[in-house]
Amino acid sequence: MNKTDFQVLKSDLHQTRFTNTQATPLEGGEVRLSIQRFAFTANNITYAAFGDAMNYWKFFPTPDAAWGSIPVWGFADVAESKCEGIAVGERVYGYYPMASHVTLQPARINDHGFYDAAPHRAELHPVYNQYVFSRTDPLYNADNEDIQALLRPLFVTSFLIDDFLADNLFFDANTLLLSSASSKTAYGTAFQLAQRSGIEVVGLTSKGNLAFCESLGCYHRVLTYDQLDQIADDAPCAYIDFAGNADLRRSIHSRFSNLKYSCSIGGTHVDQLGAKGAGKDLPGVRAALFFAPAHIKKRSADWGAAGLRDQLVAAWQAFTARATQADTPWLVAQQHHGTETFEEVYQQVLKGSNDPRTGHILLF
């Protein structure tokens, strides 16, 4: 069996290549999954941009350390199994490489799924190592796998950001600034925040995406990046950075004297991350990095795994019902068949030039 991988050069994300290798025979306890479809969004560009800093390159290491396999979220079928309790043909949702196949070492197997216990993933966060059987998954719907692949990992982050901010009483801010407001994680967060009282949610975006963000209806106001002066400079505010634009972050920290909280979620503005993105010498409050798995751990302890799951399922159902509303959808899945489409989609998302209402699904 041949295995095809799409890889990017870690030192220059604009450079890509395909590799084809012969898959090695399975050892006892292993399974080989055939990756069927996955989403590719700005979130995946974030994985690459922070690949070294946040260990994303370590999930699916390549033989040549200069090249990396960007993790993606999607669906796969068990093609071969030498693991008791996992049958060939099982549909599995999870975290995959941009490749035709992946070999995993399942552990902690139950009726809901399993964890990959490969040694190189032992020190990586377990949230990314969990694989879910579609047949028992409360979030699964066979008719909208594309929407699940596109929105599920992003909305989990959105749900957690909203809950984290509320749990901290919004750090005494009454205005929340969300950059890259057209991104799926940002408007998922805005959708959640819009259901809370006493705060104003302001979306920050480019001129080209202004109309799209206004059409969503989940932001109280939408401003372009050069309209920060329309917000009072002494407003008690918090900055939720989905863009990773170092210059924008500095502008916000410099302008707002009453900035209560500042955190970074992603890096959609890859070419503008820079050394300044670290935020160590910014005026005012120290910029933090929001790490979703840490809040999952907290809420699992607070509510129990079942309680967290129930709240997430309810929020997910409400969000996807609105995002896919037939007359005014926020997101429309666009399928791309075959590896020859990978390069075009990758470069388009990397440049940030795609229609925000379009979600890319890549199929082998």
Side-chain angles (χ1 to χ4, degrees):
M1 176 188 295
N2 283 329
K3 176 176 178 286
T4 301
D5 289 83
F6 180 81
Q7 300 175 357
V8 301
L9 188 63
K10 295 177 182 178
S11 60
D12 180 3
L13 299 183
H14 295 87
Q15 295 191 45
T16 68
R17 71 178 185 182
F18 281 100
T19 64
N20 289 281
T21 55
Q22 182 69 31
T24 58
L26 291 183
E27 297 184 1
E30 291 184 333
V31 296
R32 179 169 291 124
L33 276 61
S34 174
I35 299 168
Q36 300 296 305
R37 68 179 64 203
F38 58 84
F40 196 81
T41 71
N43 185 52
N44 303 106
I45 300 300
T46 296
Y47 291 157
F50 292 96
D52 288 320
M54 297 187 68
N55 297 322
Y56 289 120
W57 295 130
K58 292 184 177 181
F59 283 94
F60 307 106
T62 63
D64 184 344
W67 293 82
S69 181
I70 299 177
V72 292
W73 294 90
F75 293 89
D77 292 333
V78 177
E80 300 178 62
S81 178
K82 287 194 174 181
C83 180
E84 184 177 351
I86 300 181
V88 170
E90 186 86 64
R91 192 75 161 178
V92 183
Y93 169 81
Y95 201 56
Y96 299 113
M98 294 181 70
S100 60
H101 297 83
V102 65
T103 300
L104 304 176
Q105 298 180 28
R108 298 163 60 186
I109 304 166
N110 58 37
D111 197 46
H112 301 288
F114 61 89
Y115 285 80
D116 183 22
H120 74 274
R121 294 176 72 164
E123 296 182 358
L124 303 175
H125 202 284
V127 166
Y128 299 105
N129 294 340
Q130 183 178 15
Y131 292 83
V132 182
F133 295 145
S134 295
R135 59 180 169 81
T136 57
D137 181 4
L139 272 64
Y140 181 74
N141 184 329
D143 294 330
N144 71 349
E145 283 190 343
D146 289 350
I147 296 300
Q148 293 169 75
L150 284 162
L151 291 180
R152 180 170 175 166
L154 307 179
F155 183 71
V156 170
T157 300
S158 299
F159 172 87
L160 293 167
I161 296 167
D162 164 73
D163 182 69
F164 170 79
L165 292 170
D167 191 43
N168 286 277
L169 302 177
F170 303 100
F171 297 91
D172 294 324
N174 57 28
T175 301
L176 302 182
L177 311 175
L178 277 61
S179 64
S180 195
S182 65
S183 69
K184 300 170 186 64
T185 317
Y187 69 66
T189 304
F191 176 83
Q192 291 296 105
L193 290 169
Q195 301 172 52
R196 300 187 182 276
S197 60
I199 57 170
E200 180 188 29
V201 183
V202 179
L204 304 176
T205 190
S206 64
K207 291 180 181 179
N209 288 331
L210 181 65
F212 170 76
C213 293
E214 289 176 335
S215 76
L216 298 175
C218 56
Y219 295 104
H220 295 100
R221 276 195 288 170
V222 181
L223 303 174
T224 58
Y225 293 123
D226 59 358
Q227 292 180 319
L228 293 178
D229 59 356
Q230 294 193 22
I231 306 170
D233 58 10
D234 61 350
C237 58
Y239 178 44
I240 316 303
D241 180 14
F242 296 93
N245 184 320
D247 291 335
L248 174 62
R249 185 185 298 121
R250 182 166 296 278
S251 294
I252 287 173
H253 275 252
S254 299
R255 172 173 173 77
F256 296 107
S257 59
N258 205 10
L259 186 66
K260 300 292 189 179
Y261 179 72
S262 174
C263 73
S264 176
I265 310 296
T268 59
H269 296 185
V270 173
D271 294 335
Q272 296 164 306
L273 289 173
K276 290 183 290 182
K280 294 181 179 179
D281 59 346
L282 291 171
V285 65
R286 182 177 177 86
L289 180 65
F290 179 79
F291 189 51
H295 196 62
I296 290 176
K297 183 177 181 180
K298 180 184 186 301
R299 281 314 198 195
S300 294
D302 293 342
W303 300 337
L308 174 58
R309 182 184 64 245
D310 290 347
Q311 291 207 39
L312 179 58
V313 169
W316 165 256
Q317 291 173 343
F319 174 65
T320 54
R322 177 58 194 90
T324 60
Q325 191 169 301
D327 55 343
T328 55
W330 292 356
L331 181 65
V332 177
Q334 180 179 348
Q335 295 185 347
H336 305 270
H337 296 263
T339 55
E340 63 273 11
T341 67
F342 285 23
E343 172 71 17
E344 179 182 357
V345 172
Y346 171 79
Q347 294 294 346
Q348 185 176 340
V349 177
L350 181 64
K351 293 175 183 176
S353 59
N354 57 297
D355 181 349
R357 210 177 296 271
T358 299
H360 297 290
I361 296 292
L362 302 179
L363 299 96
F364 278 95

